[in-house]
Amino acid sequence: RTKGVVTACRFESAGDACICAGGEARTVFLANKVLDTSGCGAIVGESSLVTLDANVIDGNHVNGIQVGHRAKPTVKNNTIVGSKGSGIVVYDTAAGLYVNNKVSKCKLACVGVRDKAEPHLMGNTITDGFGSGVVSVGSAEFVMEENVVQRHAGAGMKVQGMSKPLVDNNRFSDNQAYGVWVQDESTVTLQNNVMDGNVKVGLLVSHLSEPTVCNNVIRNNKHTGVILQNFAGGEFKANTISGNGANVQLLNSCNALFEGNTIQSAPGGGVLFRNETTCTLRRNMLSGNGFANMAVMHSANPTVEDNDVRNGTERGIHIHCEARGFFSGNRVTRNSRDGIFIGGTAAPAVTRNTVECNGGSGITVSKTASGRVADNTLHGNRSDVVSVVETATTALEGNLALPREASLTEAVSKSDGVVMIVNPRAGKTCIGDARRGALFGL
């Protein structure tokens, strides 16, 4: 239960640690300098409640500050540079407050949290590490908020094992690999963060992890904004994902929910489904993306409902290869080419969508595609209403097609025919069979 203040001292050449606190010590270590040592700058253990404030730990050492057992220190305003291990390590069942520290140029993670530790990391600047910025492993549950994590050789933050931190209002930027990497069975919550300018990916989720990701801004990452792979899941809601190389890639049997996100302005595509992914997209805005606002490829089998897919520089929805999936209630409008393209051997169910004012056909079915296109409303597309080419066998049922000048309210009737084209100006209704050739607006 020692108390008191140790201040303005110079420590170096110690064995295990220059500062070592245990028991229930409450000592304040203020404005000291720790230089070369073969051990750690400071070790805090047992049930210690010490305060480390405004100390500088640099020179040769292993970990800057190592906190274990049941310790609950206050670690604030320290500068930790050049650790051979980590700048701050919290392990076992340790907790405590870690605020306004500057941690940089560490060989391993600048900040490591493992086992069942529960630290509160707030307002720290964590930069220029040779590994990752923050690494969480084990079953750690902790809060990380308002930190800046930048310019690391690995990820800004790596979450592994069954750890489930709350990561709120941080910035992960300019890292050489990923802004945040979540893997294993983690159920981390990521909210209100900014992940921008990372060289590879803003957010990578893999290997059975199921994060909750909401209200984040994920932008201007060079390769991809968000990647899910290897059976990853989780919920992604109300995020803004924009200006990345590609915005979202869903790979390798992942199964997640994307709802209410804004996904825009990526030259490499808005949302790309690949392999056997079965994700659900519901009520998202996809706008201004290149390649396709949405591309569904390989053996992907998603559920795509009630999305607004607009202003793409290429196609609105591109369904190809052996893809399947259920596409219903979407509004696909003002894309530069076709609203919906179905090719390869794809066999989707495309029903009750509104496809209007696109630069190519409303819907194109090509190659040997099959599946079902039914009960869609097509209006004001520049080229064909529905174009079926080559040997496609897609079933067309009850689709309503209006000429470019007509409004949706001018449709006067609907039949059980393949496609109905209503021409209010001519006062007549025409039924057309798309298998005899392309259907053109009147």
Side-chain angles (χ1 to χ4, degrees):
R1 296 179 179 269
T2 57
K3 298 181 180 180
V5 178
V6 178
T7 186
C9 296
R10 176 187 175 108
F11 300 97
E12 59 183 323
S13 301
D16 291 335
C18 289
I19 298 172
C20 188
E24 297 182 8
R26 299 171 182 265
T27 307
V28 175
F29 294 88
L30 175 65
N32 301 286
K33 189 169 181 65
V34 177
L35 300 176
D36 293 350
T37 176
S38 58
C40 296
I43 293 179
V44 183
E46 298 178 355
S47 300
S48 177
L49 299 170
V50 298
T51 296
L52 299 170
D53 185 4
N55 302 284
V56 175
I57 301 174
D58 61 11
N60 292 314
H61 60 277
V62 181
N63 297 323
I65 298 174
Q66 179 175 303
V67 182
H69 307 296
R70 298 175 301 280
K72 295 182 179 180
T74 299
V75 179
K76 60 182 181 179
N77 305 316
N78 299 283
T79 299
I80 306 168
V81 181
S83 303
K84 291 180 179 178
S86 295
I88 298 174
V89 176
V90 189
Y91 68 100
D92 204 355
T93 58
L97 176 64
Y98 304 76
V99 59
N100 292 332
N101 300 286
K102 295 181 179 180
V103 186
S104 65
K105 298 181 180 179
C106 302
K107 295 294 184 183
L108 301 180
C110 281
V111 176
V113 183
R114 67 174 198 251
D115 304 324
K116 296 182 179 180
E118 297 183 359
H120 187 166
L121 307 174
M122 183 171 66
N124 302 286
T125 301
I126 304 166
T127 64
D128 301 297
F130 295 95
S132 294
V134 179
V135 173
S136 170
V137 297
S139 56
E141 297 184 34
F142 62 97
V143 176
M144 177 176 171
E145 60 179 335
E146 300 179 2
N147 301 279
V148 174
V149 187
Q150 295 179 315
R151 299 188 301 274
H152 296 278
M157 183 176 190
K158 186 175 181 181
V159 185
Q160 297 176 267
M162 298 181 70
S163 57
K164 44 186 176 181
L166 170 61
V167 182
D168 184 13
N169 197 27
N170 303 277
R171 182 163 189 167
F172 302 95
S173 63
D174 301 313
N175 299 288
Q176 290 299 305
Y178 318 113
V180 178
W181 180 10
V182 183
Q183 65 174 11
D184 301 327
E185 298 181 17
S186 173
T187 53
V188 58
T189 296
L190 297 163
Q191 62 186 34
N192 305 314
N193 302 286
V194 175
M195 306 170 204
D196 67 340
N198 299 287
V199 173
K200 291 185 178 179
V201 181
L203 173 60
L204 174 63
V205 183
S206 64
H207 296 97
L208 300 174
S209 54
E210 295 190 355
T212 298
V213 181
C214 56
N215 295 307
N216 300 281
V217 175
I218 304 173
R219 66 190 179 198
N220 300 330
N221 297 285
K222 186 173 182 180
H223 185 278
T224 304
V226 178
I227 291 180
L228 271 66
Q229 62 185 17
N230 299 331
F231 303 96
E235 294 188 351
F236 299 74
K237 296 183 177 182
N239 302 286
T240 298
I241 307 171
S242 67
N244 304 284
N247 273 329
V248 179
Q249 295 201 56
L250 305 172
L251 318 173
N252 305 119
S253 301
C254 60
N255 182 15
L257 170 65
F258 281 73
E259 185 171 20
N261 302 284
T262 299
I263 303 170
Q264 61 189 8
S265 305
V271 178
L272 310 179
F273 297 88
R274 301 178 186 270
N275 307 117
E276 297 179 356
T277 179
T278 56
C279 291
T280 296
L281 261 67
R282 184 177 296 131
R283 292 190 290 275
N284 301 282
M285 167 69 79
L286 284 73
S287 175
N289 296 288
F291 177 61
N293 261 325
M294 183 188 305
V296 186
M297 297 172 284
H298 305 133
S299 300
N301 186 18
T303 298
V304 179
E305 298 175 324
D306 303 322
N307 300 282
D308 195 335
V309 184
R310 63 173 55 233
N311 298 324
T313 62
E314 296 288 335
R315 290 170 172 141
I317 300 176
H318 177 102
I319 309 169
H320 204 259
C321 303
E322 300 173 3
R324 293 169 292 156
F326 179 72
F327 302 78
S328 180
N330 302 288
R331 186 182 184 195
V332 185
T333 181
R334 300 189 184 280
N335 298 283
S336 294
R337 296 179 63 188
D338 298 339
I340 300 175
F341 176 89
I342 306 169
T345 58
V350 179
T351 64
R352 296 188 297 277
N353 301 283
T354 299
V355 186
E356 59 183 355
C357 301
N358 295 285
S361 297
I363 299 175
T364 294
V365 186
S366 181
K367 302 292 184 182
T368 58
S370 58
R372 182 170 178 260
V373 175
D375 302 315
N376 301 286
T377 299
L378 301 101
H379 170 238
N381 299 290
R382 183 174 296 276
S383 186
D384 306 344
V385 175
V386 177
S387 177
V388 181
V389 298
E390 300 184 55
T391 59
T393 59
T394 301
L396 302 175
E397 302 170 359
N399 298 288
L400 175 62
L402 301 177
R404 201 168 300 142
E405 296 83 357
S407 70
L408 296 180
T409 59
E410 291 176 301
V412 296
S413 64
K414 189 170 184 179
S415 78
D416 295 328
V418 176
V419 175
M420 174 169 282
I421 302 175
V422 180
N423 187 343
R425 293 175 301 163
K428 64 181 180 180
T429 296
C430 301
I431 304 295
D433 185 347
R435 289 185 182 79
R436 297 176 185 169
L439 290 173
F440 295 85
L442 300 180

